[in-house]
């Protein structure tokens, strides 16, 4: 089977004053057609420079707080602080910036919805200005060409800036007389009530039904307690891109053939499962396992074996598995997601 394990931990880290980033794209992880992943750290005041790109950008903050700015296609700005466990979603083409907030900046995971895209090939404000004649800049902005005498000639990408002040002041300064976006581009995933809660753990789902601006990316954040298991299941509508936040896991993926492959996952690792291939994830450690299932789709969908086998005539299931119907009737019901119930 194609390799379905990759890791930020052995990816090249590009370090600059103000922060660093490392990425896993299809160049290193061929199976990952739907997403390219980036792990970025911005120090307090560190700025990921103003830019935009052709892919959507979905993000999960793993540590600290990040101040985001974005302008939508109707000229409506948003400035927001996103803390640990929070998400943002930037649709393709909408310009944005990121900055680490005090006291300790931010670390986060970005998922671009094109496996071939690269964090190092975005459309950067500094690049465009540096490659536009000063006379054109003067005409465009209505100021003398000398205004742009000292602009950077090489792009900044990540650079050290001043630690940002109060959020409300930045929001007011950016707002002017523009309207506000009708829906927020940020969402508190860790703060939401779990969709599923069992003895084995819990699941929180953010897709376009509750995180309304996230129109093309859905996520399930799964917590599995020691000894627990994310039940045998698959997703009928999309490939799954995984990021392991903490703990340790073992995943097996089942394919046609029959083929199957098993790998261990630790924090910083990435998994990838093609649409509709069966899989399950065991917590093999002594602490909680937390991982993200990320999908290029407006709506999270799954099919589980427990649900299928408890909603098929028991005689059919018993004959197929050569077992008795009483055992089948005792299977977990209601799609628990994380076992034990
Ligand atoms: Mn971006
Ligand atoms: Mn899954």
């Amino acid at each position: 089977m194609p390799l379905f394990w990759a890791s930020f931990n052995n990816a090249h880290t590009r370090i600059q004053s103000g922060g660093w980033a490392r990425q896993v794209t299809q160049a290193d992880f061929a199976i990952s057609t739907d997403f390219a992943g980036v792990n970025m750290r911005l120090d307090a005041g560190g700025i990921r420079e103003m830019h935009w790109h052709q892919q959507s950008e979905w993000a999960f903050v793993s540590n600290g707080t990040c101040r985001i700015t974005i302008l939508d296609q109707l000229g409506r700005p948003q400035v927001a602080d996103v803390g640990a466990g929070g998400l943002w979603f930037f649709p393709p083409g909408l310009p944005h910036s990121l900055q680490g907030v005090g006291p300790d900046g931010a670390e986060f995971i970005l998922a671009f919805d094109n496996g071939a895209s690269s964090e190092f090939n975005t459309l950067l404000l500094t690049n465009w200005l540096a490659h536009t004649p000063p006379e054109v800049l003067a005409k465009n902005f209505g100021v003398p060409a000398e205004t742009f005498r000292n602009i950077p000639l090489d792009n900044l990408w990540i650079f050290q800036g001043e630690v940002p002040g109060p959020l409300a002041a930045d929001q007011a300064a950016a707002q002017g007389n523009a309207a506000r976006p009708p829906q927020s581009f940020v969402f508190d995933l860790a703060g939401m009530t779990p969709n599923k809660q069992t003895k084995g753990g819990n699941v929180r789902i953010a897709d376009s039904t509750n995180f309304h601006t996230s129109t093309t990316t859905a996520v399930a954040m799964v917590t599995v307690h020691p000894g627990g298991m994310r039940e045998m299941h698959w997703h009928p509508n999309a490939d799954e891109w995984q990021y392991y936040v903490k703990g340790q896991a073992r995943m097996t993926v089942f394919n046609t053939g029959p083929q199957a492959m098993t790998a261990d996952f630790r924090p910083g690792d990435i998994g990838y499962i093609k649409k509709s291939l069966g899989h399950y994830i065991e917590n093999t450690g002594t602490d909680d396992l937390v991982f993200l299932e990320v999908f290029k789709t407006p709506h999270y969908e799954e099919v589980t074996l427990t649900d299928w086998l408890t909603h098929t005539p028991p005689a059919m299931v018993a004959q197929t598995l050569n077992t008795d119907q009483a055992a089948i009737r005792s299977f977990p019901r209601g799609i628990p997601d994380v076992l034990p119930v």
Side-chain angles (χ1 to χ4, degrees):
M1 284 176 58
L3 185 64
F4 65 76
W5 177 97
S7 186
F8 290 117
N9 298 323
N10 61 6
H12 167 73
T13 304
R14 180 177 171 186
I15 304 172
Q16 297 193 186
S17 176
W20 52 257
R22 48 192 181 175
Q23 68 177 6
V24 175
T25 74
Q26 268 196 282
D28 307 297
F29 193 34
I31 191 175
S32 188
T33 49
D34 278 1
F35 288 103
V38 174
N39 176 203
M40 185 176 289
R41 152 94 189 150
L42 295 174
D43 299 334
I47 294 172
R48 168 64 175 91
E49 83 157 278
M50 301 169 75
H51 71 284
W52 71 102
H53 30 75
Q54 294 164 297
Q55 300 77 34
S56 66
E57 171 176 321
W58 177 96
F60 171 83
V61 177
S62 51
N63 277 298
T65 304
C66 189
R67 181 161 301 175
I68 64 99
T69 77
I70 181 172
L71 184 73
D72 82 1
Q73 70 278 14
L74 293 177
R76 300 173 296 195
Q78 184 178 8
V79 181
D81 283 351
V82 186
L87 308 177
W88 66 75
F89 182 81
F90 299 152
L94 298 191
H96 52 273
S97 67
L98 310 172
Q99 185 172 26
V101 175
D104 195 36
E107 184 176 338
F108 45 88
I109 300 299
L110 305 174
F112 300 102
D113 70 347
N114 175 346
S117 62
S118 169
E119 165 62 16
F120 309 136
N121 282 305
T122 57
L123 296 151
L124 300 173
L125 173 62
T126 54
N127 273 347
W128 200 10
L129 293 201
H131 295 278
T132 301
E135 298 75 20
V136 171
L137 296 177
K139 277 193 269 189
N140 191 72
F141 293 105
V143 294
E146 290 73 40
T147 306
F148 304 98
R149 172 192 297 276
N150 296 318
I151 62 171
L153 298 183
D154 294 314
N155 72 71
L156 298 169
W157 185 56
I158 287 175
F159 66 101
Q160 185 62 52
E162 296 168 13
V163 176
L167 175 62
D170 266 3
Q171 287 173 325
Q175 194 66 43
N177 55 8
R180 294 172 190 279
Q183 306 282 2
S184 178
F185 290 101
V186 308
F187 185 84
D188 184 9
L189 178 64
M192 70 176 276
T193 304
N195 302 71
K196 299 286 175 66
Q197 179 75 59
T198 65
K199 288 198 188 77
N202 58 61
V203 179
R204 291 175 171 84
I205 295 168
D207 67 11
S208 62
T209 59
N210 55 343
F211 182 14
H212 303 292
T213 55
S214 189
T215 50
T216 53
T217 301
V219 63
M221 181 168 73
V222 181
T223 298
V224 184
H225 300 319
M229 183 175 95
R230 173 76 171 94
E231 67 170 311
M232 300 168 79
H233 70 284
W234 65 91
H235 308 276
N237 63 338
D239 293 2
E240 173 174 335
W241 183 90
Q242 297 176 330
Y243 174 72
Y244 286 81
V245 180
K246 57 183 174 184
Q248 64 181 60
R250 179 165 298 161
M251 176 165 69
T252 297
V253 177
F254 166 67
N255 197 354
T256 58
Q259 296 177 308
M261 196 152 69
T262 301
D264 285 343
F265 292 82
R266 287 186 170 74
D269 291 350
I270 301 166
Y272 199 90
I273 306 125
K274 284 292 183 187
K275 181 163 65 179
S276 293
L277 297 193
H279 54 284
Y280 57 90
I281 298 113
E282 299 167 278
N283 182 342
T284 53
T286 53
D287 300 312
D288 274 0
L289 163 69
V290 179
F291 68 97
L292 308 172
E293 307 179 356
V294 182
F295 307 89
K296 186 174 177 175
T297 174
H299 297 111
Y300 176 84
E301 292 183 3
E302 69 176 320
V303 178
T304 69
L305 275 192
T306 55
D307 197 44
W308 186 30
L309 300 189
T310 55
H311 293 283
T312 298
M316 162 79 76
V317 180
Q319 290 174 80
T320 304
L321 298 181
N322 192 29
T323 187
D324 62 273
Q325 295 189 25
I328 293 159
R329 277 191 289 272
S330 73
F331 288 177
R333 286 173 186 268
I335 316 178
D337 278 344
V338 185
L339 303 171
V341 178

